[in-house]
Amino acid sequence: NAGVMQNPRHLVRRRGQEARLRCSPMKGHSHVYWYRQLPEEGLKFMVYLQKENIIDESGMPKERFSAEFPKEGPSILRIQQVVRGDSAAYFCASSPQTGWTEAFFGQGTRLTVV
Amino acid sequence: EDQVTQSPEALRLQEGESSSLNCSYTVSGLRGLFWYRQDPGKGPEFLFTLYSAGEEKEKERLKATLTKKESFLHITAPKPEDSATYLCAVQLLSGAGSYQLTFGKGTKLSVIP
């Protein structure tokens, strides 16, 4: 019974490169949420996706960030032209289709921009 | 604006010394309050969900309680392996907050042998 799987666990990118973060939800879960945790800050909501649909991206920066959750395959959080301020831990959570009482998080991807 | 405030920011306890962590919230309609444990370099690990004032839940040395304005996480006779950051988060009844979790900044607990 695999939990939420994120990869890679650690990612180093130079300024201006692209970062792709992947999240496979728990089995039977079709809703995915991305959160960002900056150093010394709390977890902040970024985007909520269902299969092939972005439901709410209000927490995502307007530029350079995008997310998708295709019919097949993992959810992808994409950051174009990364800057030092993008360095953070990015966490994915998933929930079942019919609502949830527990939200399960993955182990996160730690992005370092050098 | 919906807010979640956790106190203290950091807490050092001797092994066996019981204490409580606080999470106060200001929200317009609470659906659920969540407690998570986060170890360094790991993702948040779900502990409890509380839904209504007066509700209590227990797991090993941890007990979570909820009032209309705050929640407490009581740690009884803690052990060094309880050392972690404890996160509190709220889920709202409606709107975007019904699926987003709004987190506090956490309390970093250190239990000294």
Side-chain angles (χ1 to χ4, degrees):
Chain A
N1 181 21
V4 179
M5 304 300 291
Q6 291 188 247
N7 66 82
R9 292 292 311 277
H10 300 275
L11 182 61
V12 179
R13 286 286 177 266
R14 296 186 183 279
R15 281 177 292 172
Q17 290 184 321
E18 178 180 287
R20 281 185 178 239
L21 288 60
R22 295 174 181 76
C23 169
S24 296
M26 288 181 68
K27 186 177 180 180
H29 288 192
S30 58
H31 297 198
V32 165
Y33 315 80
W34 286 92
Y35 286 78
R36 179 165 67 173
Q37 189 172 40
L38 292 166
E40 308 304 323
E41 293 289 326
L43 282 152
K44 302 290 186 186
F45 169 82
M46 297 182 74
V47 61
Y48 164 36
L49 308 106
Q50 296 177 17
K51 287 280 188 181
E52 300 184 281
N53 278 307
I54 298 174
I55 307 303
D56 181 358
E57 55 184 350
S58 61
M60 207 141 74
K62 294 287 185 272
E63 298 183 357
R64 304 187 296 106
F65 284 72
S66 63
E68 62 177 9
F69 189 15
K71 186 176 181 180
E72 302 290 337
S75 174
I76 306 287
L77 179 66
R78 182 183 178 202
I79 311 172
Q80 295 179 290
Q81 299 177 312
V82 297
V83 300
R84 289 250 170 89
D86 297 332
S87 296
Y90 293 83
F91 292 97
C92 169
S94 72
S95 70
Q97 184 175 4
T98 54
W100 47 284
T101 58
E102 300 172 357
F104 296 95
F105 283 79
Q107 294 299 303
T109 293
R110 276 143 191 88
L111 172 65
T112 302
V113 179
V114 297
Chain B
E1 182 181 328
D2 301 321
Q3 286 193 338
V4 180
T5 304
Q6 292 189 246
S7 62
E9 290 185 12
L11 181 63
R12 284 172 61 93
L13 298 174
Q14 289 293 127
E15 185 172 0
E17 180 187 1
S18 301
S19 189
S20 294
L21 282 55
N22 177 264
C23 172
S24 63
Y25 59 92
T26 307
V27 299
S28 52
L30 179 73
R31 179 180 177 186
L33 185 140
F34 294 71
W35 282 100
Y36 287 86
R37 168 190 171 130
Q38 187 174 26
D39 292 295
K42 302 285 183 65
E45 175 189 344
F46 173 79
L47 293 174
F48 306 107
T49 309
L50 302 167
Y51 294 101
S52 56
E55 187 175 1
E56 297 184 353
K57 289 192 175 175
E58 289 188 62
K59 180 180 180 180
E60 296 180 356
R61 294 177 292 282
L62 300 176
K63 183 169 80 170
T65 63
L66 182 66
T67 73
K68 288 186 178 180
K69 294 294 183 185
E70 58 191 349
S71 176
F72 292 93
L73 184 65
H74 307 277
I75 304 176
T76 302
K79 298 182 177 181
E81 53 261 42
D82 294 323
S83 297
T85 296
Y86 290 85
L87 303 173
C88 167
V90 298
Q91 184 187 30
L92 304 185
L93 279 172
S94 62
S98 65
Y99 48 77
Q100 297 177 18
L101 291 178
T102 301
F103 281 86
K105 292 186 177 182
T107 293
K108 184 176 181 180
L109 174 67
S110 301
V111 182
I112 313 302

